Amino acid sequence: MHMISGYLDGLGMVLQFGTLLAIAGGTLLGIIMGSLPGLTSAMAIALLLPVTFGMPPVAGMGMLLGALCGAGASGSIPAILLNIPGTPSSVATTFDGYPMAKKGEAGRALGLAIVASFFGGVASMVILSLLAPPIAEFALRFGPAEYFSLSIFGLVIIASVAGKSLLKGLIAGLIGFFISTIGTDPITGVGRFTFDELSLLTGVNLLPALIGLFAVSQVLKDTLEYDPYERLQGSAHRIDIARPRFVETLRHWKAIVTGVLSGSVVGPVPGAGGSIASLVAYDQTRRFSRSPEKFGTGHAPGIISVESANNALLGGALIPTLALGIPGEAATAVLLGGLMIQGITPGPLLFDDQSGTVYGIFLAYLVANVFMLLIMCLGIKLFIRVLTVPRKQLLATILVFCFIGVYGVDGDVFNLYLMLGFGVLGYFLNRYDFGTAPVILGLILGPIAESNLRRGLQSFQGDWTPFFTRPISVTFLVIALGLLALTLWQNYRAGRQASVSRDASV
């Protein structure tokens, strides 16, 4: 009864013209920010924070949640159309989204991504409202050992989704791990591999690395293979088929469930982030598929699982933010500031003291997902027209946005050189089939693994045993070992089948 009365109070707060307008405006800005590489949901929320001053709590938080939802979904637009992730969590969308676009089915890929994002967001809202206390309690059990094991688990997933070669995937992931050690030591404060460059004291900025590895490397590749008479596939009949794919998405309901579960479990873990959730969803969907060989070639379940996980993660990340005051990711850390501005104090008592406001925020997030669906559906034919732009102008425009996006964050020219360096690295990694996604994910997981390994050893007085005896930690390690063995076995079988086929043809 308490929950029902809270929802009724919240519904009255949401169904006001000013609140709905605020949510719609925040969602639109989030979609714009998320679709431009280098601009993130955290930046969108930060821009809107001053606008929410003086607004009612549900209206102000609804605007911020709209930006969060819109940016989370629209990162798939450049990922699918240009092979450039709009946000770090949309890295895995490029695995099947861009190959589908290269087949001339960009409209279909966008339609699947939009609907999957909507389903993931709605499902996460339900999970958020029903399971916030127990999931938040589970997230509190994560200590240094659990975070380290989660990072190892992520590294194994990186290797398994990187391509046909497990070794190349591991090497690329370890390159990212090594790059993550550049900067100030997290425990002792000593500079490492900085070469007296002040900009490297805080480590390698993720933004120039992300844009360099994906955007600049793609520009280099397309420039070297440039044909002045070629246009990307975007003919009129392809634009006509650009529409939401509700029936096709629901047909792959198992991929939606996998994505929602992955996002909902990873989301409440502070610092885990969307990259891990989307990778887990993609990996598990592929492993339990009857045709895993189709993944990476433009396969619908690959897009659906990743996009549903991305939006499900947002709802999951709100759980520790509201129930514990611990942000689940960077965007919700900024959102936490918005809560404080509105006079909302996160914590276990929040659901009792301000139940109407809390459930109003839940409903505002649901409405934000509806607005995201409507705006993305209305704009899908406009998005797809990017593919009709001649390649010469498109490459130049992308490069300009890359420089603006990287320089505009903190005005540091060194980050531009860093971006170009990563662009060259990404070009050669792609050329020799190592892939760029493992490097980025290694860069994200590296600091988590290193700092928690060393903190764990300090708290355990140098004893490694707790890493292998604590239940959650050992569970991650056992699953990682099992996935590694399964990947090796699958690669071995694929090699044997290829050898048999060659012998038969001879």
Side-chain angles (χ1 to χ4, degrees):
M1 289 299 294
H2 180 71
M3 181 182 294
I4 295 174
S5 64
Y7 269 120
L8 290 175
D9 292 340
L11 189 63
M13 299 177 188
V14 171
L15 295 181
Q16 296 180 14
F17 179 75
T19 302
L20 294 175
L21 186 63
I23 297 172
T27 305
L28 178 60
L29 180 65
I31 288 173
I32 294 171
M33 296 285 279
S35 61
L36 297 175
L39 304 180
T40 64
S41 55
M43 293 172 66
I45 295 173
L47 285 174
L48 288 174
L49 274 177
V51 182
T52 62
F53 291 162
M55 283 187 178
V58 173
M61 291 306 301
M63 176 176 275
L64 300 181
L65 287 171
L68 185 68
C69 175
S74 63
S76 63
I77 297 172
I80 290 170
L81 300 182
L82 305 171
N83 199 29
I84 302 169
T87 59
S89 61
S90 56
V91 168
T93 308
T94 63
F95 296 167
D96 279 287
Y98 186 64
M100 189 177 287
K102 288 177 69 177
K103 295 178 182 177
E105 298 180 335
R108 177 183 169 219
L110 281 174
L112 293 170
I114 291 169
V115 177
S117 293
F118 173 71
F119 285 143
V122 172
S124 72
M125 196 284 294
V126 175
I127 293 171
L128 170 64
S129 59
L130 295 177
L131 302 179
I135 292 181
E137 183 182 347
F138 173 75
L140 280 177
R141 299 178 185 176
F142 274 64
E146 286 74 19
Y147 277 114
F148 173 74
S149 300
L150 177 64
S151 303
I152 299 301
F153 174 65
L155 178 61
V156 172
I157 292 178
I158 291 169
S160 65
V161 302
K164 296 180 180 178
S165 172
L166 177 65
L167 179 61
K168 287 184 176 180
L170 284 172
I171 290 173
L174 289 173
I175 289 173
F177 261 59
F178 172 74
I179 294 173
S180 74
T181 63
I182 296 174
T184 304
D185 187 293
I187 305 298
T188 64
V190 177
R192 302 179 302 188
F193 310 113
T194 59
F195 303 102
D196 296 325
E197 175 59 54
L198 294 178
S199 298
L200 288 177
L201 284 176
T202 55
V204 174
N205 195 315
L206 181 61
L207 184 60
L210 178 70
I211 292 180
L213 285 170
F214 284 92
V216 177
S217 66
Q218 187 68 32
V219 170
L220 281 174
K221 178 179 180 295
D222 290 346
T223 301
L224 294 174
E225 301 172 3
Y226 176 65
D227 181 353
Y229 300 103
E230 180 184 3
R231 286 172 179 256
L232 294 178
Q233 297 180 12
S235 58
H237 71 279
R238 295 299 180 188
I239 294 176
D240 289 341
I241 67 168
R243 62 179 184 275
R245 302 280 172 160
F246 286 96
V247 176
E248 185 178 0
T249 304
L250 286 172
R251 197 179 299 136
H252 300 288
W253 61 270
K254 291 181 181 178
I256 298 175
V257 172
T258 303
V260 169
L261 290 176
S262 300
S264 299
V265 171
V266 174
V269 179
S275 302
I276 297 177
S278 58
L279 258 292
V280 170
Y282 186 86
D283 182 66
Q284 295 307 304
T285 304
R286 189 184 68 166
R287 288 186 183 280
F288 290 103
S289 172
R290 294 181 180 178
S291 48
E293 71 283 352
K294 293 183 180 179
F295 283 78
T297 64
H299 196 37
I303 299 172
I304 293 168
S305 62
V306 170
E307 287 303 311
S308 58
N310 284 346
N311 255 25
L313 172 103
L314 300 177
L318 284 172
I319 292 173
T321 305
L322 292 171
L324 305 170
I326 302 172
E329 56 157 5
T332 50
V334 183
L335 195 69
L336 188 62
L339 285 168
M340 300 297 188
I341 289 171
Q342 294 294 338
I344 302 171
T345 304
L349 299 178
L350 178 64
F351 293 86
D352 294 325
D353 297 342
Q354 295 176 281
S355 62
T357 301
V358 172
Y359 289 108
I361 291 173
F362 291 167
L363 290 172
Y365 181 63
L366 177 62
V367 172
N369 276 277
V370 174
F371 278 127
M372 179 274 294
L373 179 67
L374 292 174
I375 295 171
M376 294 279 279
C377 288
L378 290 173
I380 189 171
K381 293 186 186 296
L382 179 64
F383 303 148
I384 202 73
R385 289 187 183 276
V386 170
L387 299 182
T388 64
V389 178
R391 190 185 294 267
K392 186 176 181 180
Q393 285 90 328
L394 186 62
L395 295 179
T397 304
I398 290 171
L399 201 57
V400 169
F401 273 114
C402 289
F403 277 91
I404 293 174
V406 170
Y407 184 75
V409 174
D410 52 15
D412 189 350
V413 176
F414 180 78
N415 283 336
L416 298 179
Y417 295 115
L418 205 59
M419 176 189 73
L420 294 174
F422 274 106
V424 175
L425 173 64
Y427 171 76
F428 284 105
L429 287 172
N430 284 324
R431 182 176 180 181
Y432 294 104
D433 299 322
F434 283 85
T436 51
V439 180
I440 278 293
L441 294 166
L443 190 58
I444 293 170
L445 292 173
I448 300 174
E450 181 193 6
S451 60
N452 284 287
L453 173 64
R454 295 173 65 183
R455 287 193 186 103
L457 289 174
Q458 283 183 342
S459 60
F460 304 141
Q461 286 78 47
D463 184 11
W464 287 81
T465 307
F467 289 92
F468 304 99
T469 55
R470 292 168 69 97
I472 298 176
S473 177
V474 73
T475 299
F476 277 124
L477 292 175
V478 169
I479 294 174
L481 185 62
L483 291 178
L484 188 63
L486 182 60
T487 302
L488 288 170
W489 172 247
Q490 288 175 340
N491 290 346
Y492 172 73
R493 285 189 62 186
R496 286 198 61 183
Q497 290 173 356
S499 177
V500 171
S501 299
R502 285 196 300 268
D503 294 342
S505 61
V506 173

